[in-house]
Amino acid sequence: MARWPQLREMARTAEGIGLDSIWVGDHLLYRGDGLPARGPWEAWTTLAAIAAVTDRLELGPLVAATSFHNPALLAKQAATLDEISGGRLILGLGAGWNEAEYHAYGFPFDHRVSRFEEAFTVIRTLLADGRCDFHGTYYDLADCELLPRGPRHSRGEGPPLLVGSMGERMLSITLPHVQAWNAWFTWFDNSVEGYRPMREAVDAACRAARRDPAEVERTLALFVAFPGARGRSLGDLTMPKVTPIPGDPPTLAAALRSFAAEGVGHVQLVLDPISAESIAALAPVLAMLDG
């Protein structure tokens, strides 16, 4: 796991070559997949530090597990990070999936979607309106206020919301409200062919939620390998292994153009190896895309 000086170098390199965003996974511990136990740094602290050492990059969790946080506190964290970053936060939200870390850290793993539904209501209401009175099965707030407000409150809005899920119920809960939907590369085999039916399913879910599909930006994560790649363990043994997209500029630029042609508006690149050198190697790709 990279230490903070390496993370800072990666963030500054990403901004320096002209990338648009940087993302941090919200996980606590991986184990039980045949590899030694391991874990990342805490996501919100890391994002705040990255926000403080960058000026332009959008940033966010990909995605924040609402069940790791009291939802009102998560809204407070989001508003604070949006303030530190000067309004650069994209708030990715999800229900979580990695059972091992739930048990290890003492979070309930049951009824995750029902818990998410209540948390999502609290988070989006506080960020948009600054106040929430909520009495549910899992969360109970008595006239909660979000003070101070983030930098976008004067326009009557909070940070844009992004959902990372393909679950039918999760989509029905979130699509009436979010600005973006995100797909992880293992869901669609890291390929355009695998992405198309998933995009069509989300289009249909948007219409079922009485939302114009064009109003919800399509975003996705792609797995990219450079020379020296060591492979990537995702911690989830149920997810299939996928073939990474080669990181050489012509191949990667062509892949990004093909996803853009399918309506994808924002891409997160999951690099192997994850290093400042790999990020710097993206500069020729950006030049090709701008040309």
Side-chain angles (χ1 to χ4, degrees):
M1 176 54 59
R3 310 302 293 248
W4 167 242
Q6 296 167 287
L7 294 173
R8 180 177 56 205
E9 182 185 7
M10 285 189 269
R12 287 175 168 168
T13 301
E15 187 162 70
I17 68 169
L19 291 176
D20 294 322
S21 63
I22 192 163
W23 300 81
V24 173
D26 188 13
H27 284 286
L28 307 171
L29 178 69
Y30 294 109
R31 67 184 180 195
D33 58 354
L35 295 175
R38 62 212 181 276
W41 300 111
E42 194 278 323
W44 288 94
T45 311
T46 302
L47 285 166
I50 291 172
V53 300
T54 57
D55 298 310
R56 181 188 53 80
L57 287 171
E58 292 182 308
L59 69 168
L62 195 68
V63 290
T66 58
S67 46
F68 291 169
H69 313 268
N70 172 283
L73 180 57
L74 197 152
K76 186 84 165 179
Q77 291 170 290
T80 303
L81 180 55
D82 209 34
E83 171 69 19
I84 293 169
S85 67
R88 291 184 279 139
L89 171 65
I90 301 172
L91 181 53
L93 296 170
W97 58 268
N98 185 15
E99 188 170 0
E101 60 192 342
Y102 278 79
H103 295 317
Y105 278 78
F107 296 115
F109 193 69
D110 64 306
H111 306 292
R112 280 174 300 123
V113 176
S114 294
R115 293 177 189 274
F116 173 87
E117 185 171 18
E118 291 191 6
F120 182 67
T121 300
V122 170
I123 293 163
R124 63 180 175 79
T125 302
L126 279 172
L127 288 173
D129 302 337
R131 183 185 295 271
C132 183
D133 192 78
F134 184 88
H135 307 285
T137 301
Y138 305 102
Y139 303 105
D140 194 280
L141 284 71
D143 193 23
C144 181
E145 290 187 82
L146 183 63
L147 295 171
R149 303 292 302 279
R152 290 182 257 209
H153 79 276
S154 61
R155 301 196 300 270
E157 52 186 52
L161 303 179
L162 173 150
V163 63
S165 178
M166 264 305 292
E168 182 177 346
R169 187 176 166 204
M170 286 287 289
L171 293 177
S172 71
I173 292 167
T174 56
L175 286 179
H177 307 285
V178 298
Q179 285 72 50
W181 166 77
N182 184 259
W184 189 247
F185 59 86
T186 54
W187 302 354
F188 57 93
D189 196 36
N190 211 38
S191 70
V192 168
E193 294 75 18
Y195 172 72
R196 288 188 186 118
M198 185 169 292
R199 179 198 61 202
E200 292 166 3
V202 173
D203 284 351
C206 285
R207 290 188 286 268
R210 299 186 178 181
R211 191 88 183 272
D212 182 348
E215 295 178 354
V216 181
E217 183 180 23
R218 304 310 159 88
T219 76
L220 52 80
L222 295 176
F223 184 28
V224 178
F226 289 94
R230 298 183 292 270
R232 180 176 175 85
S233 173
L234 302 174
D236 187 352
L237 298 179
T238 68
M239 287 289 101
K241 291 185 177 181
V242 301
T243 301
I245 298 169
D248 65 277
T251 302
L252 182 53
L256 293 172
R257 287 194 186 99
S258 68
F259 279 100
E262 299 296 330
V264 175
H266 196 125
V267 173
Q268 303 96 10
L269 299 179
V270 182
L271 306 181
D272 183 10
I274 301 175
S275 65
E277 291 74 21
S278 294
I279 294 170
L282 295 172
V285 180
L286 297 180
M288 288 183 175
L289 294 175
D290 289 338

